[in-house]
Amino acid sequence: MQSVLLVLLGGALLRLSLSGAYQNYVKPGLGVYLTLSGAILAVLGVWGAVRSGQPAEASEHEDDGHGHGPGGTRAAWLLLLPVLTVFLIAPPPLGAFAADRTRSSIPPPADSAAALPVLPKPDPVDIGVVDFALRAVWDDGKTLAGRTVRMVGFVTPAPGGGWYLTKMQISCCAADAQPFRIRTIGAPAFATDTWVEVVGSWVPGGGTQRDDAIPNVKVATVVQVRRPTNPYE
């Protein structure tokens, strides 16, 4: 049973890494490590299965104290459940449900004393939700004033009506995800969790120089788009 579990676990990791679905849970740079780990686990499982076909020195019903007896087999079946979940129902990336249950906070850049670089031309310039929020809050919108930007994120409801353009930022994996929100002004209604592309411009309001500020974007156009392969920043 342990060999089967290793093969299935290795296969699950390979499926996630080779399909790109692993980016729903961890940073893209970890993909190569997941691929290697999956391959090693699968090889170990096959090797264990081959060895188990050889004559055993002890009864297979005798628990040797290392989880190889009946109790160990039951535990292995329990470990099989999350593996089957990955194969059958791959959990989606974090969305509005997780964002609404996490305090919105915009930490200052690592070097808060350094000036943020000027945005390249021409307009609209592609920019991340996190970058927009940092510029609006900690640079008082100086590098955003008079510019038109294009951002991609998902819809989360705003108190009192309207919605935020939201993106989750991760340091390592989905467990440490933090939401960044931008209040949309003049945008039509969209269903929660819809991925959209917003073209618009920064307008004052929402606060600056504090980590609980939520900047504003005046929407010129907004269209629904497919969820990106890497849903985080």
Side-chain angles (χ1 to χ4, degrees), residues 108-204:
D111 187 357
S112 56
L116 291 170
V118 176
L119 291 175
K121 293 183 178 181
D123 288 348
V125 57
D126 291 316
I127 186 174
V129 171
V130 174
D131 192 11
F132 182 96
L134 291 175
R135 292 171 182 272
V137 172
W138 297 109
D139 198 39
D140 298 327
K142 294 175 183 176
T143 56
L144 296 173
R147 301 300 305 273
T148 302
V149 300
R150 179 167 46 222
M151 300 177 289
V152 173
F154 59 88
V155 173
T156 57
W163 51 273
Y164 298 127
L165 180 68
T166 305
K167 201 77 175 285
M168 305 290 279
Q169 184 184 56
I170 63 175
S171 298
C172 174
C173 61
D176 59 35
Q178 176 184 356
F180 282 72
R181 300 180 177 93
I182 300 172
R183 186 185 302 275
T184 59
I185 298 176
F190 280 89
T192 298
D193 270 328
T194 301
W195 281 85
V196 294
E197 178 187 271
V198 169
V199 175
S201 55
W202 170 80
V203 291

Side-chain angles (χ1 to χ4, degrees), residues 37 39 79 86 100 138 182:
S37 299
L79 292 173
V86 171
D100 288 344
W138 297 109
I182 300 172

Side-chain angles (χ1 to χ4, degrees), residues 90-109:
L94 299 179
F97 181 84
D100 288 344
R101 281 153 183 78
T102 306
R103 176 180 176 270
S104 181
S105 177
I106 303 178

